[in-house]
Amino acid sequence: MKIVLVAACALVDVDGRVLLAQRPEGKQLAGLWEFPGGKVEPGERPEDCLIRELAEELGITVKEPCLAPLTFASHTYETFQLLMPLWICRRWEGQVQGREGQKLAWVRAGRLRDYPMPPADEPLIPVLVDLLGPGR
Ligand code: C5P
């Protein structure tokens, strides 16, 4: 079975809320809320993919301290196995915007479960609650 590597990011704002993006209509898993990111291209370093994807999708430049992954998710979908390191980033340049028309939500860690997610993303929630606390 093919392995797909996806770099994903928990962007955390000054209030400790995490950014989720809704997968748009027409895409696999449309309507579900995910940590922003995307597929690592052949030969690309995962951290470079993270920088590229967040620039393309959100119009921001993430800053260096985030460039070690916090943890990774693994999930076997019907046709591929997904490996997804999760970075955490509190610093970036630019204004976060859904550049591909996707809806965005800033969510405190304790409310992440209110947003239906792809099965690969869900196991990352307790990691973030542990790190950030549930939030107020
Ligand atoms: O975003 P993209 O469609 O390129 O991602 C490839 C696949 O990886 C998706 O179809 C989805 O199954 C999975 N994925 C995921 N969680 C994410 C991003 C992608 O499960 N946060």
Side-chain angles (χ1 to χ4, degrees), residues 54-67:
L54 269 61
E56 288 172 5
E57 292 180 5
L58 303 174
I60 59 169
T61 306
V62 294
K63 288 295 155 193
E64 241 179 83
C66 76
L67 289 180

Side-chain angles (χ1 to χ4, degrees), residues 23 27-29 34-35 39 77 80 82 84 118 120-121:
R23 292 181 67 83
K27 264 196 162 185
Q28 207 189 354
L29 306 170
E34 67 180 16
F35 299 103
K39 269 187 215 149
Y77 285 103
F80 63 94
L82 179 76
M84 190 168 72
D121 297 61

Side-chain angles (χ1 to χ4, degrees), residues 14-95:
V14 287
D15 298 321
R17 296 174 309 168
V18 179
L19 186 72
L20 292 181
Q22 193 174 34
R23 292 181 67 83
E25 286 308 316
K27 264 196 162 185
Q28 207 189 354
L29 306 170
L32 298 184
W33 293 85
E34 67 180 16
F35 299 103
K39 269 187 215 149
V40 179
E41 288 174 358
E44 187 177 37
R45 293 192 319 157
E47 52 270 50
D48 291 337
C49 168
L50 184 86
I51 293 167
R52 175 179 57 73
E53 287 284 352
L54 269 61
E56 288 172 5
E57 292 180 5
L58 303 174
I60 59 169
T61 306
V62 294
K63 288 295 155 193
E64 241 179 83
C66 76
L67 289 180
L70 170 68
T71 182
F72 76 92
S74 165
H75 184 79
T76 305
Y77 285 103
E78 227 165 86
T79 55
F80 63 94
Q81 186 184 358
L82 179 76
L83 287 182
M84 190 168 72
L86 179 76
W87 276 259
I88 183 158
C89 185
R90 294 175 184 272
R91 286 184 54 230
W92 59 88
E93 271 172 12
Q95 191 92 28

